[in-house]
Amino acid sequence: MLKKTLIAASAITLSAFALTACGSDSDGGADSASDGGGDSMTMGFAQVGAESGWRTANTTSIQDAAKDSGVDLKFTDAQGKQENQIQAIRSYIQQKVDVIAFSPVVETGWDAVLQEAKAAGIPVILTDRAVDSEDTSLYKSFLGSDFVVEGQKAGQWLVDNAADSDVNGDGKINVVQLEGTTGAAPAIDRAEGFADTVKADDTIEVTASQTGDFTRDGGKQVMESFLQSDDSIDVLYAHNDDMGLGAIEAIEAAGLEPGKDIKIITVDAVHDGMVALSEGKINFIVECSPLLGPQLMDIAQKVLDGEEVEPRILTEETTFTQEQAIEALPDRQY
Ligand code: AHR
């Protein structure tokens, strides 16, 4: 219901933007001037980086939505470093942008810079990832997924498919976990949701867990070391598709068949992950939608118009089995 209302409101505000479009600066905007408060909205967006297919799709969604809405977007890529994001936010404050949005690399350590934005009267909107701050007045809204629920869905699939997941047939299901970036909300929450859910079956045990930093290379390297130290891995749970895809390379190089000799569960449902699922190399994917751009532009306009916005706006998501991936792939947007 809320989503429908937002979409309807979006149609009105987006056409208003189109009349006052002033272009977008999406190649690092820290050095570009802002008119801060003309007819069109100027948004400073501090992105995490380009670590995964998900992130690339998210950046495209934000840049396309800004363009379609006539929003003047200042965009920076923090290359996975919190200090770069903080620097970008400070630069947006100096430029007096109308609104700041960002997806925090990690959960903690944001209060000081968010207080600076608040003191400058610039509203902040969180997208994709949350900050761990007791002062919720430091941001207007948080738009994104519930990562705990994503972890629960991954865990529930394993509980439901436990009989088929004891690949080694020893009565135990040994799970190795590829974690996302240490300290990032999706890494913390996806681990928590999964661990809580698999408690329902005491044959399931997470025997090793290490970060692959949400990257394909990281997933490959960590999986290589898991395979070297343990020859009884039944299941891999990777916090995103890219790490799962890197791990598939390591599994194949070790002479094993991904999806059969080791069952694989991932999160995201980006194109390459869905292809691997359709081929049976991944067994189950929990969707995490990166298409946040249109809703972000809509929320930002409402905030600037002085309208009330929900403090937490959840993204709608599903899950995919092999059959569902085959069906969904032709229409997949990312
Ligand atoms: O914050 C969302 C996560 O960040 C995605 O699941 C992952 O692929 C990305 O790097």
Side-chain angles (χ1 to χ4, degrees), residues 48 50-55 103-104 127-129 145 147 150 180-181 184-187 190 213-215 239-243 267-268 270 288-289:
V48 170
E51 73 281 5
S52 62
W54 189 100
R55 189 64 55 196
S103 172
T127 72
D128 164 35
R129 299 181 181 179
S145 312
F147 299 131
E150 290 174 352
T181 304
R190 287 173 187 165
D213 213 11
F214 280 131
T215 66
H239 288 182
N240 78 345
D241 288 345
D242 278 81
M243 292 190 295
V267 184
D268 275 356
V270 295
C288 177
S289 175

